[in-house]
């Protein structure tokens, strides 16, 4: 018998009370502690960094207590509960000071459900449970230098060789690829087959000979992404996900999970709105322009949050992450752009040069990190096209 949401929430609250401290109100303690407002955890740059170890430890703690994969199948360590229980736990968890889970987001929200649905027995159990408990960190090996936003145009090849496959090619902008244990790899397996019927999905051991994951240093100084090279990498057929030539179907299911994760706000780290308004109060000039920019930033973030909540509710009501969810990413990026615009106006040079004043220069990260949101998960242009054609029914350009 499934436990009710109310009883589940009470048990979850007791677990969180015993395992984590309440999240502080940063606006109420201005000038204290770290003033980091980055959208990504830039300290998670090594597999043994404290940020990575803390995130993995917290996920393992949740998994052991039955909260690591609330909706997941029991044979993979999940609790097999309805999605409303998962949403209830996420909302409750937001109230506590927990490690930044960014390093695990791709593995938990994209790789894990794909493995659960498409992986072969043995691999499904070992990797699925490993991802859920954070014993295994996963990445998504889709984007390529010359494929742009056209995923079907990838050039990485997988050639059949005996009881396995040999992979050659390159992927790029792989989130935490150099920190991952496994990678979800889409490759061209039959150059003679029709488009969308020539792809196969694999689960690659990132420590395999021939895999070279090179961190990409960004303008922020962080190395959250990598380019990954494959030179004669052997992948056993037991690590193939889905039928040969049906990789596009597997990829679409992964992208649907990604759309759900972004559209419902589950994998987004947003700006602390109370802290942003406190910044305006302390450093703004009170002019009509400042008030207008502050209002625009406030409304944009609230709109993004409300849309994410409506997407989550749609799933709770039995819906699936359809094309409307693409609007969630568009609204999120719009919100971040309005925030950056406000910060630039209020702080001016103090967001460009470090004066050592608390809560000023730290905001420069927001502007530098927005492009990652704008491109990641499908570029803004792709998302707008999806909304135009598949939601509004507008003709193709």
């Amino acid at each position: 018998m499934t436990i009710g949401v109310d009883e589940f929430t009470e048990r979850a609250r007791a677990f969180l009370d015993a395992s984590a401290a309440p999240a502080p109100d940063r606006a109420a303690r201005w000038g204290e502690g770290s003033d980091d407002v980055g959208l990504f955890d830039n300290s998670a740059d090594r597999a043994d960094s404290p940020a990575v170890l803390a995130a993995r430890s917290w996920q393992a703690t949740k998994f052991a207590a039955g909260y690591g994969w609330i909706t997941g199948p029991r044979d993979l360590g999940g609790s097999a509960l309805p999605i409303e229980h998962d949403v209830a736990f996420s909302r409750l968890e937001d109230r506590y000071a927990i490690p930044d889970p960014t390093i695990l987001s791709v593995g938990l929200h994209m790789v894990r459900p794909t493995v659960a649905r498409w992986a072969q027995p043995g691999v499904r159990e070992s990797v699925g449970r490993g991802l859920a408990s954070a014993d295994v960190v996963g990445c998504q090996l889709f984007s390529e230098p010359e494929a742009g936003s056209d995923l079907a145009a990838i050039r990485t090849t997988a050639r059949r060789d005996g009881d396995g496959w040999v992979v050659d090619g390159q992927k790029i902008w792989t989130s935490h690829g150099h920190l991952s244990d496994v990678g979800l790899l889409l490759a061209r397996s039959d150059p003679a087959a029709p488009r969308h019927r020539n792809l196969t999905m694999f689960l690659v051991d990132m420590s395999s000979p021939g895999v070279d994951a090179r961190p990409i240093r960004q303008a922020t100084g962080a190395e959250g992404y990598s380019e990954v090279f494959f030179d004669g990498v052997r992948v056993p057929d037991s690590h193939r996900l889905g039928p040969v030539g049906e990789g596009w179907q597997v990829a679409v299911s992964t992208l649907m999970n990604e759309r759900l994760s972004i559209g419902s706000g589950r994998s987004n780290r947003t700006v602390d709105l109370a802290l942003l308004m406190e910044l305006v109060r302390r450093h703004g000039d009170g002019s009509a322009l400042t008030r207008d920019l502050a209002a625009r930033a406030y409304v944009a973030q609230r709109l993004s949050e409300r849309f994410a909540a409506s997407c989550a509710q749609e799933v709770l009501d039995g819906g699936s992450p359809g094309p409307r969810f693409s609007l969630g990413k568009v609204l999120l990026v719009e919100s971040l752009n309005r925030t950056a615009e406000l910060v630039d106006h209020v702080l001016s040079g103090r967001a460009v040069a470090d004066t050592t004043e608390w809560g000023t220069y730290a905001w420069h990260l927001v502007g530098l990190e927005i492009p990652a949101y704008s491109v990641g998960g499908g570029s803004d242009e792709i998302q707008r096209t999806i909304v135009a054609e598949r939601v509004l029914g507008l003709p193709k350009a």
Side-chain angles (χ1 to χ4, degrees):
M1 182 177 177
T2 300
I3 182 175
V5 175
D6 291 341
E7 182 180 353
F8 170 85
T9 301
E10 287 305 310
R11 293 184 183 180
R13 182 179 290 108
F15 161 73
L16 290 166
D17 284 342
S19 306
D25 182 352
R26 298 184 65 192
R29 57 186 187 90
W30 181 274
E32 299 177 15
S34 171
D35 62 352
D36 176 34
V37 293
L39 303 173
F40 300 98
D41 186 355
N42 293 324
S43 62
D45 55 358
R46 302 186 322 276
D48 61 348
S49 69
V52 172
L53 296 177
R56 297 183 74 164
S57 176
W58 175 242
Q59 180 64 25
T61 298
K62 290 197 298 181
F63 183 78
Y67 301 106
W69 194 1
I70 294 170
T71 60
R74 294 188 184 279
D75 64 320
L76 300 186
S79 299
L81 291 171
I83 194 170
E84 52 261 35
H85 293 66
D86 187 43
V87 172
F89 185 85
S90 294
R91 290 172 177 169
L92 194 60
E93 190 181 30
D94 284 343
R95 304 175 188 174
Y96 293 81
I98 61 170
D100 189 310
T102 304
I103 178 67
L104 303 176
S105 292
V106 172
L108 293 178
H109 300 310
M110 288 158 243
V111 181
R112 183 176 62 176
T114 303
V115 167
R117 178 176 176 184
W118 296 100
Q120 300 175 50
V123 171
R124 177 181 180 273
E125 287 74 22
S126 61
V127 178
R129 290 185 67 92
L131 289 165
S133 64
D135 285 340
V136 175
V137 175
C139 63
Q140 180 178 298
L141 299 159
F142 281 15
S143 299
E144 296 190 7
E146 299 181 18
S149 295
D150 186 1
L151 187 57
I154 62 171
R155 297 187 179 186
T156 295
T157 62
R159 172 176 54 85
R160 194 70 187 249
D161 184 46
D163 59 352
W165 301 78
V166 177
V167 175
D168 292 281
Q170 178 188 359
K171 300 291 182 177
I172 198 167
W173 300 120
T174 301
S175 297
H176 303 111
H178 55 296
L179 305 179
S180 297
D181 302 299
V182 298
L184 197 62
L185 172 76
L186 186 65
R188 184 171 296 200
S189 55
D190 185 354
R195 181 180 169 88
H196 296 113
R197 303 286 294 181
N198 59 352
L199 305 172
T200 301
M201 188 76 79
F202 301 92
L203 193 66
V204 178
D205 183 342
M206 295 296 286
S207 65
S208 299
V211 177
D212 183 13
R214 306 175 187 175
I216 300 173
R217 184 170 291 275
Q218 297 127 237
T220 61
E223 296 180 343
Y225 302 94
S226 62
E227 53 182 341
V228 186
F229 297 85
F230 301 89
D231 183 9
V233 178
R234 295 197 62 85
V235 181
D237 190 59
S238 60
H239 283 61
R240 170 175 46 82
L241 276 63
V244 174
E246 296 297 329
W248 181 256
Q249 183 180 357
V250 182
V252 167
S253 71
T254 303
L255 294 174
M256 292 289 278
N257 288 316
E258 183 176 37
R259 183 179 295 161
L260 171 62
S261 180
I262 295 175
S264 62
R266 295 180 63 185
S267 63
N268 305 330
R269 181 179 179 182
T270 58
V271 172
D272 186 321
L273 196 54
L275 190 67
L276 178 63
M277 293 300 109
E278 183 67 13
L279 173 74
V280 175
R281 190 184 74 80
R282 289 175 177 269
H283 294 288
D285 58 10
S287 67
L289 176 58
T290 299
R291 295 196 303 273
D292 180 67
L293 292 175
R296 290 175 183 271
Y298 184 92
V299 170
Q301 180 159 330
R302 287 302 190 203
L303 179 60
S304 176
E305 292 171 351
R306 290 309 304 157
F307 186 83
S310 74
C311 287
Q313 187 61 50
E314 185 174 326
V315 173
L316 289 177
D317 294 338
S320 60
R324 191 176 76 89
F325 281 46
S326 291
L327 188 56
K329 180 177 179 295
V330 174
L331 293 173
L332 172 63
V333 174
E334 174 68 14
S335 168
L336 295 175
N337 281 325
R338 298 288 74 77
T339 294
E341 186 179 35
L342 172 62
V343 168
D344 287 345
H345 172 72
V346 170
L347 292 178
S348 187
R350 285 175 293 182
V352 178
D354 191 357
T355 64
T356 72
E357 183 181 4
W358 195 96
T360 55
Y361 179 67
W363 286 92
H364 81 286
L365 282 176
V366 175
L368 291 177
E369 292 177 339
I370 288 174
Y373 274 85
S374 187
V375 175
S379 68
D380 292 345
E381 292 78 11
I382 291 295
Q383 303 303 328
R384 291 178 185 275
T385 297
I386 290 174
V387 172
E389 294 178 356
R390 300 176 58 187
V391 178
L392 301 179
L394 299 177
K396 293 185 178 181

